[in-house]
Amino acid sequence: MRKIKIAVIDTGCSIELMENMRNILFDKDLQLSAYKSSLNLLEDYIGHGTMCIKNIMNILKNYENLVDIYPIKIFDNTGVTSSKRLIEVLYKLTKKDIDIINISLSTTEQSMKDEFIEVCSLLERQGKLIIVSKTLKGDDNSLLSIPATLESTIGVDGCKSLSDDEFIVRKDNKIELVFNSKKYIYILKNSINDFGLNSRATSLATAYI
């Protein structure tokens, strides 16, 4: 049976997690030039991408043999990224056999909206599902949250009153899905952090889709 291939565009992934799970794979062709020469450059010093992947795999734990995860790092080790970096890796994904793209970020900056429309529309025509977190700054009915509100993507919002196996479908809204966004605590590199909000909601949406 063919595996479902999921790309997670974020802060990278813990190398320890990748070494312990055979279905989390490094593809240098999907990485920005700064991170493609070595698996070790994919190391997640922030933890956000690692938690997105863990959240997806926790839901799919009974089906992990049917899923491959491809982490793609677009943030530097201080947590900074750009629309240009995201668009660059989205174009890389147009050349790869990927089924689902998880993006736990959006922007209210509109200057590259046309570029996002172009690449996301191309991915949609290829049959690839793009699951995108709504920015916390954008109103559900506005055009501010890019690329979450595009017609070619599936936008995700969070709701703290939902459980992990509950969700809401909003057919006439630019942000179509709502999943659990409650925060929980995790430890990474001896540092205590929390994970939740729309990023958790988006990883849940990716797993259930």
Side-chain angles (χ1 to χ4, degrees), residues 46-61:
I46 298 169
H48 190 272
T50 300
M51 293 311 299
C52 288
I53 292 169
K54 280 189 172 183
N55 214 41
I56 293 169
M57 293 311 302
N58 183 55
I59 299 298
L60 298 176
K61 58 188 174 184

Side-chain angles (χ1 to χ4, degrees), residues 16-30:
E16 180 181 0
L17 181 65
M18 293 186 71
E19 290 175 343
N20 290 333
M21 297 191 70
R22 288 181 295 178
N23 62 331
I24 304 178
L25 305 174
F26 173 66
D27 186 337
K28 67 178 183 179
D29 294 334
L30 294 175

Side-chain angles (χ1 to χ4, degrees), residues 9-10 74-75 81 86 103-107 132-133 135 146-147 199:
I9 303 174
D10 214 282
I74 65 167
F75 288 81
T81 190
L86 177 53
I103 309 172
S104 290
L105 67 145
S106 278
T107 180
V132 190
S133 170
T135 178
I146 304 296
S199 294

Side-chain angles (χ1 to χ4, degrees), residues 133-144:
S133 170
K134 168 186 169 288
T135 178
L136 297 177
K137 298 179 182 178
D139 182 90
D140 282 356
N141 296 311
S142 75
L143 297 178
L144 291 178

Side-chain angles (χ1 to χ4, degrees), residues 69-130:
I69 304 285
Y70 293 85
I72 303 174
K73 186 172 182 176
I74 65 167
F75 288 81
D76 66 20
N77 294 336
T78 66
V80 176
T81 190
S82 66
S83 294
K84 182 178 179 181
R85 291 180 184 179
L86 177 53
I87 290 168
E88 181 178 342
V89 299
L90 287 172
Y91 272 111
K92 289 177 181 289
L93 285 163
T94 66
K95 302 174 183 178
K96 286 289 182 174
D97 181 20
I98 292 289
D99 300 294
I100 302 173
I101 302 167
N102 180 100
I103 309 172
S104 290
L105 67 145
S106 278
T107 180
T108 57
E109 172 58 53
Q110 304 290 297
S111 63
M112 301 191 76
K113 181 179 177 180
D114 289 344
E115 287 86 345
F116 274 117
I117 291 173
E118 181 177 335
V119 68
C120 290
S121 297
L122 176 55
L123 288 162
E124 181 190 34
R125 291 195 298 272
Q126 293 176 341
K128 296 166 183 173
L129 297 178
I130 312 168

Side-chain angles (χ1 to χ4, degrees), residues 129-183:
L129 297 178
I130 312 168
I131 317 299
V132 190
S133 170
K134 168 186 169 288
T135 178
L136 297 177
K137 298 179 182 178
D139 182 90
D140 282 356
N141 296 311
S142 75
L143 297 178
L144 291 178
S145 194
I146 304 296
T149 56
L150 301 181
E151 292 183 4
S152 53
T153 67
I154 300 172
V156 182
D157 202 354
C159 176
K160 295 178 182 178
S161 64
L162 296 174
S163 63
D164 278 1
D165 59 356
E166 295 178 315
F167 62 92
I168 299 168
V169 178
R170 303 188 298 198
K171 293 182 180 179
D172 298 323
N173 199 297
K174 292 181 180 299
I175 304 297
E176 296 96 331
L177 298 177
V178 183
F179 276 83
N180 178 18
S181 62
K182 288 191 290 288
K183 289 184 178 182

